[in-house]
Amino acid sequence: MLSSKQIQIVMTAVVLILAVVMPVETFHLLMEIVVEIYELLEFTLDEVIHHVFETSRHTTQVIVFYLMLGMFLYGLYRLARLLGAINLKVKTVVSGWHAICTEKSANAWKPWLLDKRVRMLCGVTFGGACLALLVF
């Protein structure tokens, strides 16, 4: 018998294989699942409001429309806040990484004498020019 960890690994592997082998079909499957969940939520809200408040079908549909619109807008609000937090975290990580790389490159040049720096830059420029002539 498989343990829960092994089942989780197998399910993850199956999902990744589906996403790699059949990306269009996987996307269609995910969209069908989203549409079915939306339809189920809409139907459930429609029936509950119709039976609890004893409204007409038109009034019930208007109420359900505004409820679903409110839920959608609240989801967008939460997503915007989450993306803002993620953006802030990425900016912090990237700026820290950039500072480390800048410090490393500055420290790499310090021990070299001026003539060695010039020779290296000339060699890189000449090599790049030769490579460009070879390619073009």
Side-chain angles (χ1 to χ4, degrees):
M1 197 68 174
L2 294 174
S3 69
S4 63
K5 182 72 172 173
Q6 290 172 334
I7 291 173
Q8 184 180 10
I9 291 171
V10 169
M11 292 301 291
T12 305
V14 167
V15 168
L16 287 175
I17 288 171
L18 277 176
V20 169
V21 174
M22 302 182 298
V24 174
E25 287 79 8
T26 305
F27 179 73
H28 286 155
L29 173 66
L30 291 176
M31 292 312 298
E32 284 293 323
I33 290 171
V34 168
V35 167
E36 291 300 322
I37 289 172
Y38 171 80
E39 291 289 333
L40 179 65
L41 180 64
E42 181 185 15
F43 176 75
T44 305
L45 282 173
D46 195 28
E47 290 300 316
V48 167
I49 290 172
H50 180 70
H51 288 296
V52 170
F53 298 110
E54 297 177 2
T55 59
S56 67
R57 279 287 170 199
H58 176 71
T59 306
T60 302
Q61 288 175 348
V62 170
I63 292 170
V64 168
F65 170 76
Y66 283 115
L67 279 174
M68 300 282 288
L69 181 65
M71 286 189 278
F72 176 73
L73 291 176
Y74 179 71
L76 282 180
Y77 167 73
R78 296 294 296 181
L79 180 65
R81 291 195 42 140
L82 178 68
L83 290 178
I86 290 172
N87 186 25
L88 184 63
K89 179 107 174 145
V90 167
K91 278 184 180 179
T92 305
V93 168
V94 167
S95 65
W97 175 75
H98 183 267
I100 290 171
C101 287
T102 304
E103 183 181 338
K104 281 183 180 179
S105 63
N107 289 338
W109 282 92
K110 282 183 182 176
W112 290 9
L113 297 175
L114 182 62
D115 63 332
K116 190 173 181 181
R117 291 180 194 176
V118 170
R119 279 187 289 159
M120 192 188 100
L121 287 176
C122 289
V124 168
T125 305
F126 181 71
C130 290
L131 191 64
L133 286 174
L134 180 67
V135 170
F136 299 111

